[in-house]
Amino acid sequence: MTTLRGELRSTATQEAEGSGDNIEEARAAAIAALDLDGFELQQVNAVTSKATGETTVRAVARARDLKPHEATGRTYDEALQAFRSSIPEGWQAQNMREVRE
């Protein structure tokens, strides 16, 4: 029997837009519109910018949730297939290792 253990990360994200008279105000507004409890800021991009300086910015945050994951099979290939096929929707594998006992 082969056992594979690893860690899964949530793929949940949240987005918010903010506008302001300049890019700094727009950035602050977009970040303030996010609930960062359990999330980390990943990206902030300008969406629109006018000649007057008025700007709209989009901020994206990603969940920090992690959880362990394990699967077993008769061979490494079967364990790998079981590991991959048992990853729940909304999660992705971050790492995986073979456990030898």
Side-chain angles (χ1 to χ4, degrees):
M1 293 300 271
T2 300
T3 299
L4 300 177
R5 288 189 187 135
E7 190 171 60
L8 303 181
R9 180 182 194 124
S10 173
T11 60
T13 61
Q14 52 177 299
E15 294 183 13
E17 286 190 1
S19 296
D21 291 335
N22 56 53
I23 192 126
E24 292 84 13
E25 287 179 14
R27 184 180 197 282
I31 292 171
L34 293 171
D35 177 8
L36 293 177
D37 184 32
F39 284 77
E40 59 190 2
L41 185 63
Q42 289 295 299
Q43 183 174 325
V44 179
N45 293 332
V47 177
T48 61
S49 185
K50 297 181 180 177
T52 59
E54 186 180 338
T55 304
T56 300
V57 167
R58 178 177 298 123
V60 179
R62 173 176 78 180
R64 287 185 277 179
D65 296 336
L66 301 172
K67 67 180 183 179
H69 190 63
E70 183 175 303
T72 302
R74 288 181 292 139
T75 65
Y76 178 86
D77 289 336
E78 287 181 9
L80 179 59
Q81 182 178 2
F83 186 92
R84 289 178 174 163
S85 66
S86 62
I87 296 172
E89 183 74 27
W91 293 83
Q92 64 184 19
Q94 290 299 292
N95 58 60
M96 180 195 62
R97 65 192 174 286
E98 182 179 4
V99 179
R100 296 185 182 186
E101 298 174 5

